Amino acid sequence: MKPLAGIRVLELARILAGPWCGQLLADLGAEVIKVERPGSGDDTRTWGPPFVTDAAGEAWGAAYYHACNRGKRSVAVDFEAEEGRAIVRRLAAECDVVIENFKVGGLKKYGLDHESLAALNPRLVTCSITGFGQDGPYAARAGYDFMIQGLGGLMDVTGDPAGEPQKVGVAVVDVFTGVYAAVGVLAALRRRDETGQGGHVDMALLDVSVAILANQAMNYLASGRAPRRLGNAHPNIVPYQVFEVADGHVIVAVGNDGQYRRFCEVIGAPALGTDPAFAGNADRVKRRAELIPLLQPHVKAFRRDDLLAALEAAGVPAGPINTVADVFSDAQVVARGMKLELVGDDGSVVPSVASPIVIDGERMAAATPGPKLGADTAAVLAALAGEG
């Protein structure tokens, strides 16, 4: 039995952050009921190509949709109509968790906000995901991952210092928000176990973007100097970056002084490893502009695989820069079972990426693909009628 078996989640969320939270809870064993607009459903169903098709060759939504909706049930109801609102209330009364990503106050006009639903179900945990949180001067604004990466500082520390600021290649703020949201939900459920009372989890994309600045934020807070883009270099460790080799590029991630000395020995520059000017990491960070041009010619003399093998043998962390195709053919990724083949009710096979969570040797991943729009409406409504 999975850890969240018996927990029922009502997902009133679309796009990525909220659905990512819902998918993570589904992976852990929760029953997740996704409420969608009749006719169109979650916006990401159309965010393609590429698209997934079923066994009959019919469209089954964009790959983007399937990235964050496996293991769920889909109910298509219009809660702008009273009949739809009544269905959502009845579902919420039978659920443990509601995930929603409407603008602040957006559900209040329907009587579906946390306060209204908690009056029906005091044990309910509601997780509200917004761009800027439930209060503050920006609370009413819409928030999107791309703009939040800029506003929250991530883009100013990402990219080539000679080029323009860059966003991360994945909607990392949305994904992190989904993960943090799941942690908040689980904490609120744990508290409910003790008190019998649910609660309201307030998740903001901007808060998450600031939180995941991590060491870059602390570098600023401790020094008063704002960090800037370093491309593929590290603000606190040298050498910890991409180097050019004879047939491409490699990542070298030297983490301590011993590794640095061994790195220099491998590349045929032992004198740089013992030079007092570069002996300690703090020295190397200060003299980065001097050291890297001295190391680069030695590294470039190697072919990628030869250098990686030599560094591995010497205990120096290093690795290739893989394409996504390379990732899914990598021996370790294959061995860990990170690619899933999920089978639908009609025998359709939908590829998916596994959750990274493994508990007692079991990979925590839901067994079914993202649902077709409204696929479970009749069954869920029939169960509600039975409960009534």
Side-chain angles (χ1 to χ4, degrees):
M1 180 179 294
K2 288 188 176 179
L4 296 187
I7 295 294
R8 180 183 276 185
V9 178
L10 184 63
E11 183 183 295
L12 308 178
R14 58 192 179 88
I15 314 297
L16 185 53
W20 195 269
C21 175
Q23 178 173 268
L24 179 51
L25 298 177
D27 284 339
L28 291 168
E31 176 190 359
V32 180
I33 300 170
K34 183 180 182 71
V35 174
E36 302 184 74
R37 295 186 301 270
S40 57
D42 191 314
D43 297 39
T44 60
R45 286 183 180 274
T46 64
W47 283 13
F51 293 94
V52 170
T53 56
D54 63 16
E58 298 295 325
W60 192 350
Y64 195 119
Y65 164 78
H66 286 278
C68 50
N69 284 291
R70 70 168 167 263
K72 302 176 185 178
R73 307 174 76 190
S74 174
V75 173
V77 298
D78 179 9
F79 54 76
E80 292 195 4
E82 179 52 39
E83 181 183 3
R85 293 193 289 272
I87 290 171
V88 173
R89 290 191 199 98
R90 291 185 65 189
L91 284 170
E94 301 297 329
C95 284
D96 301 280
V97 178
V98 169
I99 303 168
E100 62 94 0
N101 66 347
F102 284 71
K103 290 183 181 179
V104 173
L107 286 177
K108 192 174 184 64
K109 63 182 179 181
Y110 300 120
L112 301 177
D113 56 304
H114 173 67
E115 290 74 16
S116 300
L117 296 179
L120 301 173
N121 180 2
R123 292 174 56 81
L124 186 68
V125 171
T126 300
C127 179
S128 296
I129 298 175
T130 59
F132 300 98
Q134 298 296 304
D135 53 21
Y138 301 167
R141 296 184 186 178
Y144 300 91
D145 178 278
F146 190 6
M147 59 178 282
I148 296 294
Q149 285 196 40
L151 184 61
L154 284 172
M155 288 179 64
D156 196 49
V157 295
T158 305
D160 189 318
E164 65 181 10
Q166 292 289 313
K167 68 178 179 67
V168 180
V170 171
V172 65
V173 176
D174 276 341
V175 170
F176 263 105
T177 300
V179 174
Y180 274 115
V183 173
V185 165
L186 295 177
L189 288 173
R190 177 67 181 91
R191 186 184 66 179
R192 188 188 72 174
D193 290 342
E194 299 296 319
T195 66
Q197 292 293 313
H200 188 213
V201 180
D202 173 9
M203 293 299 311
L205 299 183
L206 181 59
D207 293 356
V208 171
S209 183
V210 174
I212 64 174
L213 287 173
N215 61 300
Q216 293 281 36
M218 284 304 301
N219 289 345
Y220 165 68
L221 295 174
S223 70
R225 295 189 298 274
R228 300 308 302 270
R229 298 189 299 282
L230 290 173
N232 288 313
H234 194 289
N236 301 106
I237 312 171
V238 172
Y240 197 103
Q241 63 178 74
V242 170
F243 282 95
E244 186 178 1
V245 290
D247 56 347
H249 295 84
V250 296
I251 295 168
V252 175
V254 165
N256 57 53
D257 298 338
Q259 290 176 357
Y260 170 67
R261 288 191 294 273
R262 296 196 298 277
F263 170 62
C264 290
E265 291 169 1
V266 167
I267 65 173
L272 288 175
T274 57
D275 189 329
F278 308 122
N281 181 67
D283 302 312
R284 296 192 293 276
V285 171
K286 291 176 184 176
R287 296 182 173 89
R288 180 197 307 268
E290 178 184 351
L291 176 60
I292 298 305
L294 297 175
L295 294 171
Q296 178 60 81
H298 295 278
V299 178
K300 192 173 181 180
F302 287 80
R303 294 184 65 81
R304 188 193 75 167
D305 292 349
D306 293 338
L307 179 59
L308 291 178
L311 292 175
E312 172 71 19
V316 177
I321 301 173
N322 284 335
T323 66
V324 175
D326 293 334
V327 169
F328 284 99
S329 62
D330 182 274
Q332 183 66 18
V333 174
V334 171
R336 293 289 288 177
M338 287 303 296
K339 179 182 175 182
L340 301 177
E341 298 286 348
L342 305 180
V343 181
D345 292 339
D346 63 353
S348 305
V349 177
V350 179
S352 192
V353 182
S355 162
I357 300 172
V358 178
I359 300 177
D360 294 333
E362 180 185 358
R363 178 75 62 180
M364 294 291 108
T368 57
K372 294 183 178 180
L373 177 59
D376 304 286
T377 304
V380 170
L381 295 186
L384 276 181
E387 290 168 358

